[in-house]
Amino acid sequence: MSRRAWLRAGLGVLAGGQALLGLWVLLLPGLFWKWPWVSHLPPYNEHLLRDFGGASLALAVVLCAAVATMERRLVLTSLVAYLVSSVAHLLFHARHLKPLPAASAAGFMALLGAAVLLPAVLVWLAADGSAFGEPEPTERRPAP
C-alpha cells in the first residue's frame, strides 16, 4: 500500500470516528453520559455535551475534506487540529483516573493513547510531501 493510501485510510478512520462520536453525543447526550468513562466526572451538562458533539462533527467535516482533496496543507492542518484535541483529552483524563477500576483505566488510557498515536504517525507520513506527489526533499549543497 502506498504512503498516500495509508494516509487517506488513516484520515478516513479519524473522520469516521469523529462523525460517529459527534452524532452520538449531539443526538443522544444522555446515552453518552451513561458511558462509565464519561459519567465518573459529574455533573451531567446537556449543553456542554451537545456542544462537544457539534465540535466533533465539525472536526469530522475538516477530516473528510482532507480525505477528499488530499491537499497537503489541509491534511496537515486537520491532523494537527485532531492532535491538539486528542492530546488535551488524554492529559485531562490521565489526571482523573482515580474513580475507575484499574483495568478500565488502563483500557481508557490505551484508547486515548491510540487517538494520539494514529494522527502523529499520519503527520509523519504527510510531512515529507511524497504522499502528495511532491519531490522528495534533498540536501541543499552550498554553491561552489
Side-chain angles (χ1 to χ4, degrees):
M1 195 188 263
S2 72
R3 184 175 274 237
R4 183 178 181 88
W6 279 111
L7 188 55
R8 179 172 265 152
L11 283 163
V13 167
L14 295 177
Q18 285 299 295
L20 289 173
L21 176 66
L23 287 170
W24 179 19
V25 179
L26 185 63
L27 300 175
L28 302 165
L31 185 60
F32 179 76
W33 177 255
K34 290 180 182 177
W35 191 253
W37 290 342
V38 177
S39 61
H40 78 276
L41 296 170
Y44 174 77
N45 184 325
E46 182 180 351
H47 175 205
L48 183 62
L49 285 172
R50 288 187 189 268
D51 284 354
F52 171 64
S56 294
L57 284 175
L59 183 53
V61 167
V62 175
L63 288 162
C64 285
V67 170
T69 65
M70 288 302 288
E71 194 276 321
R72 186 176 185 195
R73 283 180 289 186
L74 181 56
V75 166
L76 287 169
T77 300
S78 68
L79 289 170
V80 170
Y82 189 97
L83 270 170
V84 168
S85 175
S86 61
V87 167
H89 195 199
L90 176 112
L91 292 174
F92 176 83
H93 282 290
R95 294 181 321 213
H96 296 90
L97 292 172
K98 200 163 196 105
L100 296 173
S104 181
F108 191 32
M109 285 293 96
L111 179 66
L112 294 178
V116 170
L117 184 60
L118 176 57
V121 168
L122 295 175
V123 166
W124 174 77
L125 284 174
D128 74 0
S130 64
F132 306 98
E134 296 174 10
E136 292 282 340
T138 57
E139 276 190 45
R140 187 169 213 173
R141 294 184 185 173

